[in-house]
Amino acid sequence: MSTRRLRSEDYNDYSSTDVTPETSPTGGMNGFAHPESYQRFGETNGTTWYQTLIHLLKGNIGTGLLGLPLAVKNAGILLGPLSLLVMGVVAVHCMGILVKCAHHFCNRFQKQFVDYGGAVMYGLESTPSAWLRTHAIWGRRVVGLFLIITQLGFCCVYFVFLADNLKQVISAANGTTNDCSSNRTVTMTPTMDSRLFMLSILPFVVLLSFIQNLKVLSIFSMLANVAMLVSLVVIYQYIVRDIPDPSRLPLAAAWKTYPLFFGTAIFAFEGIGVVLPLENKMKNPRQFPVILYVGMTIVTILYISLSVLGYLRFGADIQASITLNLPNCWLYQAVKLLFSFGIFFTYAVQFYVPAEIIIPPLVARVSERWGWVVNLLLRLALVSVTCVLAILIPRLDLVISLVGSVSSSALALIFPPLLEIATYYAEGMHPLVITKDVAISLFGFVGFVVGTYEALVELAAPATTVVNATIVMVQ
């Protein structure tokens, strides 16, 4: 078998997978291809399994984590963690479907790589419907649009999160003490508007976005993981102490608040957009299935444990971000800064996907001499757009909740099962597999409807009446 390099080094693909023309995945609908039959050559200077795991964790652990305790309150102490577990299993299963279908089309069409949008396009071309085959290109366009909206939406949240955390720490600096025994009331010192903090952060985020090599970015990603790990350890050690009697907490909350739980949970499982880019950039891509399952298991355990312990510790008093329930002392103020440090570098990972969708086609229109200049200018413009949106859009938490409910539900839950049906239906599918895929898509669609509805209701309500926002926003 030829082991020649299949990937074009000049092609800036954002979420693709490579195979040799002679060999293809034989796993079919049963799962990932077996290593011995899955011959794929990754980047010569690609990322290692450890670096890929770091990126996968960074792509899924973000601001949504700190809002999950309030999400469990909206679902109930029993129904909440069970729902998180189900959503975690379904989300990982859909990630696996996406990678599997990409491999399938690489073999079928002798393609060097297939991205998320390309997989959907080829899936539509494989359906019995002539109308869908004719309009298959819209599959790629729709997926690209959802990816851009979702990832840039997350980036907007990060700007607000960073600005509000910095503002809160600075405002409480004069009243912050070394006494962490109680949550004392601290008089906030007037400081500049949070929008000015966003502008202050902008130059540093722009410089971060100029890093285009995932292997180099893994160094900063590792630092972010360490910072967030330390802050989470400090949060855990506080919330496990003096947990009140949990019998007073409802096993299942009122159903009218469950859509708020769903919106936060689907926002938290935000990583499907980085799955194919990470797999494509690996030095040994055959290791990716194991990395995916191990990484997402860690993420799901972290989500469930922090959400349950946080709700048990603070009960009905739990706030939109669990950090707001921590005592006003230097130790826990440092936690906010550490987590902000981690979120800062997470911006680069989330920004990678929309940048690689938008920028390469535009750079290809100019001469090679000016290509790098146009590349950097476009990155500057995209980062500036996320900053401007964060500044201009009021109640950004609810706007991002709306974007997350629409885009995340579609990308993570609705599209992958339908893609599997479109890919394998002509080859013959077991009725149970079709039923499973339809059920997952309906589950995602219901989440899309109820999440969108609740976000619109909250947006229409006066700001003083909104009491149950579940997106992580530090005020």
Side-chain angles (χ1 to χ4, degrees):
M1 175 183 297
S2 172
T3 58
R4 65 186 176 85
R5 180 79 177 145
L6 290 178
R7 178 173 175 82
S8 169
E9 299 297 343
D10 296 327
Y11 187 91
N12 293 318
D13 179 48
Y14 75 95
S15 55
S16 60
T17 180
D18 305 347
V19 296
T20 62
E22 297 85 356
T23 307
S24 64
T26 59
M29 292 182 297
N30 296 324
F32 287 106
H34 298 295
E36 57 270 19
S37 63
Y38 172 27
Q39 298 295 327
R40 180 178 172 300
F41 301 95
E43 295 277 352
T44 304
N45 297 316
T47 56
T48 65
W49 70 267
Y50 179 65
Q51 292 168 333
T52 303
L53 180 61
I54 291 174
H55 287 307
L56 183 64
L57 294 176
K58 288 299 305 106
N60 284 274
I61 299 175
T63 53
L65 173 63
L66 300 181
L68 287 176
L70 180 58
V72 169
K73 174 188 174 183
N74 290 327
I77 191 60
L78 177 62
L79 182 60
L82 289 178
S83 298
L84 274 177
L85 178 61
V86 171
M87 291 189 68
V89 171
V90 172
V92 176
H93 177 67
C94 289
M95 292 177 184
I97 289 176
L98 177 60
V99 175
K100 178 183 63 177
C101 291
H103 295 165
H104 175 84
F105 289 120
C106 280
N107 170 63
R108 180 176 175 181
F109 296 110
Q110 301 295 290
K111 304 291 288 187
Q112 299 173 4
F113 32 80
V114 173
D115 57 31
Y116 195 161
V120 173
M121 181 183 68
Y122 291 132
L124 293 177
E125 290 178 350
S126 304
T127 61
S129 171
W131 188 88
L132 290 177
R133 292 196 302 270
T134 303
H135 298 84
I137 186 63
W138 282 98
R140 175 187 292 276
R141 294 170 180 170
V142 169
V143 169
L145 177 62
F146 278 131
L147 282 170
I148 291 172
I149 293 174
T150 300
Q151 304 301 123
L152 292 183
F154 294 148
C155 292
C156 292
V157 172
Y158 296 161
F159 260 112
V160 180
F161 183 86
L162 291 170
D164 287 346
N165 269 274
L166 289 176
K167 180 179 179 180
Q168 188 182 63
V169 170
I170 293 174
S171 297
N174 291 336
T176 303
T177 68
N178 293 323
D179 181 14
C180 296
S181 60
S182 61
N183 196 2
R184 301 165 52 250
T185 300
V186 175
T187 301
M188 296 293 187
T189 302
T191 185
M192 65 181 182
D193 189 274
S194 61
R195 290 170 290 187
L196 295 178
F197 279 97
M198 296 181 201
L199 290 176
S200 301
I201 298 168
L202 177 60
F204 301 99
V205 179
V206 169
L207 291 176
L208 182 66
S209 71
F210 287 166
I211 302 176
Q212 305 172 43
N213 189 311
L214 279 177
K215 191 170 184 179
V216 174
L217 192 59
S218 68
I219 300 175
F220 298 102
S221 192
M222 182 61 186
L223 294 175
N225 275 352
V226 171
M228 295 173 71
L229 176 62
V230 171
S231 62
L232 287 175
V233 168
V234 176
I235 292 175
Y236 269 103
Q237 65 83 28
Y238 180 78
I239 62 178
V240 297
R241 295 181 294 173
D242 304 322
I243 295 180
D245 182 9
S247 61
R248 59 186 176 83
L249 302 177
L251 297 179
W255 283 105
K256 65 180 180 179
T257 62
Y258 191 82
L260 295 175
F261 163 83
F262 187 94
T264 304
I266 195 62
F267 179 83
F269 287 103
E270 60 190 43
I272 194 169
V274 300
V275 169
L276 286 180
L278 294 180
E279 194 260 3
N280 181 53
K281 294 296 182 180
M282 284 192 69
K283 184 179 299 183
N284 184 6
R286 286 177 291 178
Q287 297 176 333
F288 186 75
V290 175
I291 295 173
L292 175 64
Y293 292 128
V294 170
M296 292 307 299
T297 298
I298 294 173
V299 169
T300 303
I301 292 174
L302 180 63
Y303 283 179
I304 294 176
S305 60
L306 183 67
S307 61
V308 172
L309 290 174
Y311 183 40
L312 288 175
R313 176 64 176 83
F314 300 111
D317 296 327
I318 188 68
Q319 299 189 47
S321 170
I322 193 173
T323 55
L324 299 179
N325 291 94
L326 299 177
N328 289 306
C329 65
W330 283 113
L331 174 62
Y332 297 109
Q333 294 288 66
V335 166
K336 298 174 187 177
L337 294 177
L338 278 175
F339 211 95
S340 296
F341 178 81
I343 292 300
F344 173 75
F345 288 111
T346 303
Y347 185 103
V349 178
Q350 297 292 357
F351 181 79
Y352 183 87
V353 174
E356 291 301 306
I357 295 175
I358 298 172
I359 295 176
L362 298 177
V363 172
R365 295 174 178 268
V366 302
S367 64
E368 184 177 353
R369 176 183 179 184
W370 294 100
W372 69 275
V373 177
V374 174
N375 188 332
L376 296 182
L377 289 177
L378 288 173
R379 289 177 179 273
L380 170 63
L382 283 177
V383 174
S384 299
V385 166
T386 61
C387 181
V388 170
L389 290 175
I391 293 173
L392 296 181
I393 300 178
R395 309 267 307 279
L396 185 62
D397 54 337
L398 296 178
V399 174
I400 297 303
S401 179
L402 175 63
V403 173
S405 295
V406 174
S407 299
S408 296
S409 294
L411 293 173
L413 301 178
I414 299 176
F415 291 165
L418 296 180
L419 173 61
E420 183 174 38
I421 294 176
T423 302
Y424 296 106
Y425 185 80
E427 302 177 10
M429 295 182 67
H430 195 284
L432 289 180
V433 177
I434 297 177
T435 302
K436 177 264 297 181
D437 288 340
V438 172
I440 293 176
S441 290
L442 287 177
F443 175 65
F445 181 74
V446 170
F448 158 77
V449 173
V450 297
T452 302
Y453 172 78
E454 287 298 326
L456 291 175
V457 169
E458 293 287 326
L459 280 170
T464 56
T465 65
V466 177
V467 295
N468 231 1
T470 55
I471 296 296
V472 178
M473 303 301 295
V474 182
Q475 300 295 337

